[in-house]
Amino acid sequence: MATSTAPVESKTPGRSQPSTIALIAHDNKKQDMVEWARFNLTTLQRFHLLATGTTGGLLEKELGLSIEKLRSGPLGGDQQIGAKIVEGGIDLVVFFWDPLEPHPHDVDVKALLRIAVVYDIPMACNKSSADLMISSPLMKAPGFREATYPS
């Protein structure tokens, strides 16, 4: 089956294309993120990617992806991604967080998880859920969120 290399349009009303995926990984999950991104490299190249600073830098270095890097998570990067969700600037969050380790910015992590739910933004928290979401036909359907769940 041939895969398209065309950019994927944003699902957010009034947003320009391509769709934006936010990538975040806690320290113990960064290798999982690299492995997942390597496996999905061709697909990821069709999206606008943004990431917290350390995760984005690692993905650029390891895979050569073009990524808009924000601050590191503990230095406000999680909050920056939350703000972009509120502004309608993110279509999917891939956040490999580590539930077994304490984090000094745990409040920010919880706020990001909360804001993604409040704004109905799909969020994958492990490789399996990320694979299901990024390969879903809905990722290619313009306007699927507002068509399915009108406000």
Side-chain angles (χ1 to χ4, degrees):
M1 176 181 356
T3 58
S4 171
T5 57
V8 178
E9 291 182 23
S10 175
K11 280 32 142 222
T12 305
R15 277 272 316 286
S16 62
Q17 48 191 334
S19 290
T20 297
I21 298 176
L23 303 168
I24 313 158
H26 284 158
D27 289 344
N28 292 344
K29 300 294 183 175
K30 288 198 189 318
Q31 191 55 44
D32 286 347
M33 179 64 77
V34 169
E35 291 169 8
W36 177 80
R38 181 176 285 119
F39 182 79
N40 290 288
L41 186 60
T42 303
T43 301
L44 287 172
Q45 290 169 334
R46 297 173 36 225
F47 293 88
H48 173 245
L49 303 174
L50 63 86
T52 49
T54 311
T55 300
L58 180 64
L59 291 170
E60 280 184 335
K61 178 183 169 198
E62 294 284 326
L63 306 175
L65 284 167
S66 174
I67 297 177
E68 177 186 345
K69 292 182 295 302
L70 305 174
R71 302 257 188 232
S72 173
L75 300 178
D78 295 336
Q79 291 182 339
Q80 286 179 299
I81 289 176
K84 288 187 178 287
I85 288 172
V86 171
E87 294 166 355
I90 294 179
D91 299 292
L92 169 67
V93 176
V94 178
F95 185 4
F96 293 175
W97 60 287
D98 186 352
L100 301 178
E101 289 291 322
H103 301 282
H105 65 297
D106 203 41
V107 202
D108 298 336
V109 171
K110 286 186 172 110
L112 176 58
L113 296 171
R114 178 185 163 278
I115 209 74
V117 170
V118 167
Y119 282 86
D120 197 29
I121 300 301
M123 179 178 288
C125 295
N126 56 45
K127 291 192 287 187
S128 296
S129 60
D131 282 339
L132 286 169
M133 287 183 198
I134 202 164
S135 64
S136 169
L138 291 175
M139 285 297 294
K140 298 177 188 93
F144 82 87
R145 283 199 319 265
E146 66 274 7
T148 307
Y149 305 105
S151 48

